[in-house]
Amino acid sequence: MAESGFRIKTCVLGMVSTNCYLVYHETTKKGVIIDPADNGEYLVRKLKELGVTPEAVLLTHGHFDHILAVKDIQEEYSCGIYAGKEEDRMLQDPSMNLTGTMGGDESSISADYLVRDGQTLELAGFTWKVLETPGHTRGSVCYYIPSEDVLISGDTLFAESLGRTDLPTGSMQEIVASITEKLLVLPEDTMVYPGHGDPTTIGHERLYNPAAVYRKRRG
């Protein structure tokens, strides 16, 4: 099987150790930034070290720890910002995205592209499928790259855990449904890269994730 050129680099940034992912094509050096956290200077430096030019910033949701470096990235690169269609209000409202309340300045950003469930994006030489996964926030989305068996799960699905639902627009009922009906139905070998913590696989989470266990008990 031919080498696809797919590369993913994890940068752990910020006060709550957010996983920012740099996904790029090894040959073309075109890339995508997912959830740029709060250290744009570091990310720009890392991209230059890798020789990668980002084509887009993909946001899984609008919380402060995933968005604070967006403006710095925009100043350095002319790349579009993508977010779920239900997340626009949160991105623009500091009281909802929690910037300013977590030790920083209030921040409001706007997405250039609001994506919907099932939409496909052609970025950095790969096809990305958008999965709407409400629960952590109403507009949370995950990004699935079928050709690479890779899922970027944001704060929806963690290794043997799931995102909190006690912040604005969160819902426990919705996050359990999103995980069990949208994510755990993916191929079991799919690598899962979450917004915090270590990677996992769909097969592992089918067995050990609390959402899967809860759904099984409920029948």
Side-chain angles (χ1 to χ4, degrees):
M1 187 173 179
E3 165 67 44
S4 72
F6 179 87
R7 299 290 185 271
I8 183 166
K9 182 171 183 60
T10 306
C11 303
V12 183
L13 303 170
M15 66 176 71
V16 290
S17 299
T18 301
N19 290 334
C20 169
Y21 297 107
L22 307 180
V23 172
Y24 61 98
H25 194 289
E26 177 61 25
T27 302
T28 67
K29 297 297 185 180
K30 300 296 184 182
V32 172
I33 305 169
I34 300 105
D35 291 344
D38 70 347
N39 196 331
E41 182 179 351
Y42 173 87
L43 291 173
V44 169
R45 186 167 66 250
K46 185 59 63 176
L47 287 164
K48 290 182 177 179
E49 287 176 4
L50 294 169
V52 170
T53 301
E55 294 184 330
V57 173
L58 302 184
L59 301 177
T60 61
H61 64 290
H63 282 155
F64 75 100
D65 55 314
H66 293 252
I67 68 170
L68 284 172
V70 166
K71 290 181 179 179
D72 291 337
I73 298 298
Q74 285 181 307
E75 287 179 4
E76 185 71 25
Y77 301 101
S78 56
C79 55
I81 311 300
Y82 293 72
K85 64 181 178 60
E86 300 296 331
E87 203 73 346
D88 200 35
R89 181 184 170 200
M90 179 170 287
L91 292 172
Q92 297 185 46
D93 186 344
S95 69
M96 294 180 70
N97 63 40
L98 307 179
T99 57
T101 63
M102 304 300 289
D105 296 328
E106 291 189 350
S107 182
S108 174
I109 66 172
S110 296
D112 299 301
Y113 305 98
L114 296 174
V115 296
R116 64 186 185 280
D117 191 52
Q119 184 175 347
T120 57
L121 309 172
E122 299 295 332
L123 297 168
F126 306 102
T127 299
W128 307 64
K129 184 176 181 180
V130 177
L131 302 175
E132 288 183 6
T133 51
H136 180 60
T137 66
R138 182 170 297 122
S140 288
V141 295
C142 298
Y143 300 97
Y144 176 47
I145 310 174
S147 65
E148 307 303 321
D149 292 323
V150 163
L151 175 74
I152 310 294
S153 65
D155 286 6
T156 298
L157 179 64
F158 298 132
E160 299 185 17
S161 188
L162 61 160
R164 61 189 293 182
T165 59
D166 59 336
L167 298 173
T169 76
S171 165
M172 179 59 73
Q173 181 177 355
E174 287 188 337
I175 200 170
V176 169
S178 291
I179 291 171
T180 57
E181 297 172 13
K182 291 285 190 68
L183 304 185
L184 297 187
V185 297
L186 297 174
E188 65 176 12
D189 291 338
T190 302
M191 285 295 303
V192 179
Y193 293 90
H196 305 272
D198 295 329
T200 183
T201 66
I202 289 296
H204 185 86
E205 297 312 307
R206 286 180 188 170
L207 295 175
Y208 300 109
N209 195 273
V213 174
Y214 173 80
R215 181 55 65 93
K216 287 176 183 178
R217 287 176 179 171
R218 298 280 292 182

